[in-house]
């Protein structure tokens, strides 16, 4: 058995950052309570803060666990174009204005359509559009054939997007620069793995392309 | 600790921002921000004194924010807070100018100690700036005594060139106020926030003046046990005043010329080229053109220095200013010695008509002595004539044969008697005490000894000062 120590170190660093912030609030308020114990409003606020932050830590852990509790999927052929279009249309109207998808030919893939829907939703809704003003997302599909697998490419461009590291960007809590919670790319990677698909990253100047091979 | 300082908390975690605000709002005016890319704009628009900065922020990382603060020379004390134990981040943050670094979750007390130290530092800086401003204010042109046409012309010329970095050469007799004009040039210019340094080229030995000007490296010569930063470097971006520049040796003149031309030099014994942006104000009590003719001053250096010449008139050539000087020095020394001396009109007219070979310095000296020694409320012409006559006598005679008026003890008609040092010291002490009305503090100050030393001597010689202002 071989363990990638560097990967584990990175994982621990990422996770500790997510946990240390709520711990800072908990510890800070607990210390202040020693001085302000007679201020009933403050006592109530401290109670609320401690509970909220404990729940935040708990929810981060649960979100990771939930992925591992996903039901096993039945592999079947489905029309990917319909699933992709449906996923995009169910997203926030303001956000989906930044997304372009123009299927050129029918795309039939094997796997779990719910996984594909979730992946597209993550890429659309999970991206931090506020921090990356000017960014747009374009989706393209290729039907495959002649030895090539069917594929979907999701490309972010139009903003100052610095490079991602392929060997680390899919780790939990690794990417907070472009995504909201840092778990988005990990979830996508996980879904691809469970669905029998592969995902790779292509950095090309200011554009970042994720290619999923079905 | 309650302060008026403004503190900005930059963290993307709402809980952390809220907690820090609750912790610090009783001591500071607190504001919060949740993105890295808006911090710089916020720092530039509002006067933020302290920034608590998380390293992981959306939009721009904390390290990039620190780097931008450093490059933009934004004046703010930064305390970095981070969830990461990474020593590399800590080192990078400190190198980029962070004041301190805390790892989450931290003790409130640790943060408060850091902020207390920052506040002390800011208080000191503010005090230094205030003092610097006060010093600078005293050298504003409007506060310099000079309403005579010649002085007004000088101020007018200087105001035109003050922010141009051009070298200024001040020519004037001794005691005309060359250094004051040099300081006025500095404190009225855009260099006033930077150092003003001066070197009197006539008092420093020629073999040491190079080190004074340019500094030296450790081991450059015997006695150079540490590196010394020279005045050119210390005064970079500020002003260096070279008084009595005619006293520089020809070798040193050549070195000075090179620095003026190239704006760079090497320390004595060093190899590193040091670039400086130092404004030079030079002064001489002799016309340098005469020295050039005598081959005692380099012509090329003369032309390099004489970009803006200023000829300070002697006091006798600006008689309109004498009453103003009298008024100024009278106020100054009455305040210093807690006196209320006035000078009558006849005396003022006399002083105004006097030749003043020692110029303003001599006038100041006379007024000071008048305030110190006068026992009357108003000084008259006779007292002033007496003081001036004594001065003229002293200048032309050996000092040991003459004593200041009112202070006896060295009468050349007395037979020469051998006495012990203690006897001489005791007699001198008693006489000085009598002259300063048995005021121990004033007497000590003029004898240039501390009060403690004074008391020890009184005890030694068993001199008792009674309340009726007499000694026994």
């Amino acid at each position: 058995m071989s363990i990638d120590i560097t990967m584990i170190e990175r994982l621990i660093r990422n996770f500790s950052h997510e946990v240390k912030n709520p711990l800072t609030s908990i510890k800070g308020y607990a210390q202040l309570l020693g001085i302000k114990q007679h201020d009933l409003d403050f006592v109530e606020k401290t109670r609320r803060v401690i509970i909220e932050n404990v729940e935040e830590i708990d929810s981060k852990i649960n979100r990771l666990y939930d992925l591992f509790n996903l039901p096993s999927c039945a592999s079947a052929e489905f029309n990917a174009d319909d699933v992709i279009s449906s996923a995009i249309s169910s997203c926030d109207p303001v956000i989906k204005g930044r997304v372009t998808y123009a299927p050129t030919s029918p795309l039939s893939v094997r796997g779990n359509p719910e996984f594909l829907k979730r992946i597209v939703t993550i890429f659309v809704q999970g991206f931090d559009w506020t921090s990356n003003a000017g960014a747009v997302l374009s989706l393209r599909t290729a039907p495959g054939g002649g030895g090539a697998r069917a594929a979907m490419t999701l490309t972010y461009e139009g903003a100052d997007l610095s490079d991602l590291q392929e060997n680390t960007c899919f780790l939990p809590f690794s990417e907070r620069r472009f995504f909201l919670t840092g778990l988005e790319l990990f979830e996508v990677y996980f879904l691809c793995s469970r669905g029998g698909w592969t995902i790779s990253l292509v950095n090309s100047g200011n554009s970042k392309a994720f290619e999923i091979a079905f | 600790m309650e302060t008026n300082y403004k503190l900005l908390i930059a963290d993307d975690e709402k809980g952390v921002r809220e907690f820090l605000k609750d912790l610090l709002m009783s001591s500071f005016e607190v504001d919060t921000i949740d993105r890295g890319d808006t911090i710089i704009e916020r720092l530039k628009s509002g006067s933020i004194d302290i920034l608590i900065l998380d390293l992981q922020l959306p939009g721009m990382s904390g390290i990039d924010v620190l780097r931008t603060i450093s490059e933009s020379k934004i004046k703010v004390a930064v305390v970095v807070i981070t969830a990461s134990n990474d020593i590399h981040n800590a080192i990078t943050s400190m190198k980029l100018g962070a004041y301190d670094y805390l790892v989450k979750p931290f003790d409130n007390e640790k943060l408060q100690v850091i902020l207390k130290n920052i506040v002390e530092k800011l208080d000191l800086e503010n005090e230094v700036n205030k003092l610097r401003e006060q010093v600078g204010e005293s050298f504003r042109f409007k506060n310099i005594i000079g309403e005579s046409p010649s002085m007004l012309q000088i101020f007018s010329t200087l105001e035109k060139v003050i922010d141009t970095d051009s070298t200024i050469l001040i020519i004037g007799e001794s005691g005309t106020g060359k250094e004051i004009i040099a300081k006025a040039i500095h404190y009225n210019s855009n260099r006033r926030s930077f150092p003003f340094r001066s070197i009197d080229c006539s008092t420093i030995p020629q073999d040491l003046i190079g080190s004074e000007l340019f500094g030296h490296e450790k081991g450059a010569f015997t006695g150079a046990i540490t590196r010394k930063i020279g005045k050119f470097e210390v005064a970079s971006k500020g002003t260096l005043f070279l008084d009595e520049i005619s006293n520089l040796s020809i070798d040193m003149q050549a070195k000075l010329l090179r620095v003026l031309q190239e704006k760079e030099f090497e320390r004595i014994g060093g190899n590193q080229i040091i670039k400086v942006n130092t404004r030079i104000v030079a002064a001489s009590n002799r016309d340098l053109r005469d020295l050039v003719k005598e081959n005692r001053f380099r012509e090329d250096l003369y032309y390099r220095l004489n970009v803006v010449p200023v000829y300070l008139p002697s006091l006798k050539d600006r008689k309109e200013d004498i009453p103003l000087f009298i008024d100024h020095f009278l106020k100054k020394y009455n305040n210093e010695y807690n006196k209320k001396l006035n000078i009558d009109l006849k005396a003022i007219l006399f002083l105004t008509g006097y030749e003043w070979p020692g110029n303003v310095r001599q006038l100041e000296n006379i007024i000071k002595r008048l305030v110190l020694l006068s026992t009357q409320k108003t000084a008259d012409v006779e007292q002033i004539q007496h003081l001036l006559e004594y001065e003229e006598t002293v200048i032309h005679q050996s000092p040991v044969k003459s004593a200041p008026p009112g202070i006896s003890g060295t009468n050349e008609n007395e037979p020469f008697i051998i006495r012990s040092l203690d006897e001489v010291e005791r007699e001198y002490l008693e006489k000085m005490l009598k002259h300063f009305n048995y005021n121990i503090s004033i007497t000590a100050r003029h004898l240039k000894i501390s009060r403690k030393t004074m008391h020890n001597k009184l005890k030694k010689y068993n001199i008792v000062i009674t309340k009726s202002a007499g000694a026994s």
Side-chain angles (χ1 to χ4, degrees), chain A:
Chain A
M1 183 193 81
S2 66
I3 298 175
D4 189 334
I5 296 290
T6 313
M7 203 69 78
I8 292 178
E9 186 202 345
R10 187 64 195 253
L11 204 60
I12 292 170
R13 280 186 190 282
N14 293 349
F15 192 69
S16 74
H17 177 264
E18 294 301 313
V19 167
K20 278 183 176 238
N21 274 323
L23 285 178
T24 302
S25 295
I26 293 168
K27 182 174 179 177
Y29 276 103
Q31 287 176 93
L32 274 177
L33 199 55
I35 307 164
K36 294 189 176 188
Q37 57 194 280
H38 303 296
D39 181 341
L40 294 177
D41 289 339
F42 185 81
V43 169
E44 172 54 30
K45 183 175 183 180
T46 302
R47 188 192 70 82
R48 179 177 54 77
V49 162
I50 289 174
I51 292 171
E52 273 174 10
N53 282 281
V54 165
E55 284 175 349
E56 189 188 330
I57 296 170
D58 193 41
S59 78
K60 287 180 197 240
I61 296 169
N62 287 339
R63 202 170 148 197
L64 284 169
Y65 267 128
D66 287 346
L67 285 174
F68 293 95
N69 288 332
L70 280 175
S72 53
C73 58
S75 186
E77 289 274 339
F78 64 92
N79 185 333
D81 297 324
D82 289 343
V83 172
I84 293 169
S85 299
S86 164
I88 294 171
S89 65
S90 64
C91 289
D92 185 283
V94 172
I95 291 174
K96 69 184 178 192
R98 312 251 203 131
V99 182
T100 54
Y101 174 55
T104 50
S105 47
L107 181 67
S108 177
V109 305
R110 173 166 284 278
N112 186 328
E114 287 305 311
F115 282 16
L116 180 60
K117 185 174 180 183
R118 178 73 188 132
I119 286 169
V120 172
T121 305
I122 286 171
F123 274 112
V124 176
Q125 290 276 159
F127 187 72
D128 187 352
W129 298 100
T130 312
S131 294
N132 300 287
V136 291
L137 173 64
S138 56
L139 283 89
R140 290 193 316 279
T141 53
R149 291 162 73 174
M152 173 176 70
T153 306
L154 305 101
T155 308
Y156 293 105
E157 55 198 340
D160 185 14
L161 304 169
S162 48
D163 280 357
L164 297 169
Q165 301 294 322
E166 188 168 16
N167 60 340
T168 55
C169 70
F170 295 108
L171 290 175
F173 304 113
S174 206
E175 260 320 309
R176 293 291 292 273
R177 285 176 298 164
F178 308 132
F179 296 95
L180 296 171
T181 68
L183 278 175
E184 288 81 1
L185 287 182
F186 174 68
E187 193 174 341
V188 163
Y189 186 93
F190 192 88
L191 290 168
C192 286
S193 295
R194 288 293 291 270
W197 306 324
T198 60
I199 182 167
S200 58
L201 163 72
V202 178
N203 288 303
S204 178
N206 266 351
S207 74
K208 307 285 167 275
F210 295 90
E211 189 181 272
I212 297 173
F214 299 109

Side-chain angles (χ1 to χ4, degrees), chain B residues 229-240:
Chain B
I229 307 294
K231 295 240 168 91
F232 253 107
E233 213 175 326
V234 171
S236 191
K237 294 186 194 170
T239 306
L240 178 60

Side-chain angles (χ1 to χ4, degrees), chain B residues 256-322:
Chain B
L256 177 61
L257 177 64
R258 187 185 160 230
V259 178
L260 291 179
Q261 286 171 335
E262 311 296 331
K263 297 197 188 310
E264 62 183 37
F265 63 92
E266 292 150 2
R267 293 191 197 110
I268 294 173
N271 297 318
Q272 188 192 353
I273 302 280
I274 294 160
K275 290 193 181 297
V276 285
N277 173 14
T278 312
R279 201 244 189 98
I280 297 297
V281 176
S284 174
N285 59 9
R286 291 191 57 182
D287 197 326
L288 292 181
R289 286 174 295 192
D290 294 336
L291 293 174
V292 169
K293 283 179 197 157
E294 292 167 21
N295 291 323
R296 287 168 56 195
F297 202 87
R298 289 181 66 119
E299 191 177 15
D300 45 6
L301 178 59
Y302 167 71
Y303 284 118
R304 183 57 74 160
L305 291 172
N306 196 39
V307 178
V308 179
V310 171
Y311 292 90
L312 266 188
S314 54
L315 191 55
K316 68 178 187 294
D317 294 332
R318 44 185 291 214
K319 288 193 186 297
E320 309 91 321
D321 293 332
I322 293 176

